Amino acid sequence: MRLDKYLCDTLGLSRSEVKKIVSKGRVTVNNAITKSPDTKVNEETDEVTFDGKAVLYERFVYYMLNKPAGLVCANKDPRDPVVMDLFRDEPGKGLSCVGRLDKDTTGLLFVTNDGDLVHSLTSPGRHVFKDYLVTVAHPLSEGDIKALTEGVDIGDDKPTLPAKVKVMDDDHIVLSISEGRFHQVKRMLIAVNNEVLALKRLSLGSVVLDESLKPGEFRRLTAEELTELKSY
Ligand code: URA
């Protein structure tokens, strides 16, 4: 790989910015200053530094975000602010959200540039349970809980797959679903004559939202969390 690409990817700089820092002699490859941005580097074995600090190449980056309300899961939107605005200064080109949460939904969202992971976690055949804390308009009856648990007709070809319902109090349930249909939770509650007043994703499989993250904050996934996600 060319040195300028290596530095663009890792430092999040533009090609012209990289050209400047390289021509000023601020970059070394294997302990030797190089002033040519087209120097070939092996990202696995070569040691690159910028201003004396090691610059490690990571092909893929993985983040856990506590999504705030009001942001759309997209790279750009003509009307609304987007999740990717939060990541503008982060390394890792080509980041995208793993699946979609609605604009008003909060909580656990993964962001990565690993297209294979995005694909495997969002493909329709993948049935990983996701837990949502749902603020409901009315308390659920035993019949509602039974219907949600067994599967409800939300207007698609097939009813929803069996879900799990945990009643927290009159206003809150935790609904666990293993599919990711469009507005699924909201449509499931409508199917039992209820309404979602607020929705927060708590977990995906065994990976749980880090509650120390305030809405809008994110952190890198731990090695364990990543291994978990890759196993689904
Ligand atoms: N179900 C919904 O209705 N909305 C979401 O954002 C996620 C699941």
Side-chain angles (χ1 to χ4, degrees):
M1 150 182 309
R2 283 171 54 124
L3 178 62
D4 50 3
K5 174 157 172 46
Y6 185 106
L7 292 169
C8 287
D9 286 357
T10 48
L11 300 175
L13 299 175
S14 67
R15 284 239 162 167
S16 60
E17 287 168 328
V18 162
K19 207 170 162 192
K20 273 191 209 144
I21 62 166
V22 172
S23 65
K24 286 191 178 149
R26 297 169 69 183
V27 172
T28 65
V29 177
N30 297 330
N31 296 318
I33 289 175
T34 172
K35 294 195 173 179
S36 321
D38 60 356
T39 302
K40 288 276 178 296
V41 289
N42 181 328
E43 63 271 22
E44 310 270 308
T45 52
D46 287 338
E47 281 175 21
V48 178
T49 69
F50 167 48
D51 283 351
K53 288 199 195 105
V55 181
L56 302 177
Y57 192 85
E58 290 174 292
R59 186 143 170 249
F60 298 125
V61 285
Y62 305 88
Y63 299 95
M64 171 190 290
L65 166 70
N66 184 358
K67 180 190 173 294
L71 299 188
V72 175
C73 286
N75 285 30
K76 275 187 192 161
D77 189 88
R79 279 188 312 272
D80 293 307
V82 295
V83 163
M84 232 36 78
D85 288 340
L86 300 170
F87 290 85
R88 294 280 176 239
D89 297 332
E90 292 303 304
K93 288 267 146 63
L95 291 174
S96 63
C97 300
V98 180
R100 277 167 183 266
L101 292 178
D102 297 336
K103 183 178 158 191
D104 54 353
T105 301
T106 59
L108 180 66
L109 184 68
F110 303 107
V111 170
T112 181
N113 53 358
D114 180 348
D116 286 348
L117 186 71
V118 175
H119 184 257
S120 79
L121 285 176
T122 54
S123 73
R126 195 74 42 156
H127 295 304
V128 185
F129 273 96
K130 285 150 280 218
D131 287 0
Y132 291 89
L133 177 65
V134 190
T135 310
V136 287
H138 321 286
L140 269 73
S141 69
E142 287 301 321
D144 297 337
I145 295 170
K146 186 164 183 287
L148 291 172
T149 307
E150 289 174 353
V152 282
D153 179 359
I154 58 170
D156 293 343
D157 295 348
K158 291 182 186 159
T160 54
L161 286 178
K164 298 174 201 163
V165 180
K166 188 169 168 196
V167 177
M168 310 301 285
D169 57 40
D170 278 359
D171 304 323
H172 299 95
I173 60 167
V174 173
L175 181 65
S176 305
I177 56 172
S178 63
E179 303 164 281
R181 302 194 208 171
F182 185 61
H183 294 327
Q184 180 163 344
V185 174
K186 290 174 184 164
R187 289 158 71 207
M188 287 176 76
L189 270 297
I190 289 172
V192 292
N193 301 311
N194 211 313
E195 193 191 340
V196 171
L197 299 184
L199 189 57
K200 178 179 181 182
R201 183 154 67 184
L202 303 176
S203 63
L204 188 150
S206 64
V207 182
V208 176
L209 175 66
D210 179 343
E211 291 287 353
S212 73
L213 295 172
K214 298 195 185 80
E217 288 184 349
F218 55 82
R219 64 155 169 80
R220 298 287 188 109
L221 288 188
T222 63
E224 265 180 13
E225 288 165 342
L226 184 55
T227 307
E228 236 2 271
L229 286 186
K230 287 190 171 175
S231 73
Y232 299 140

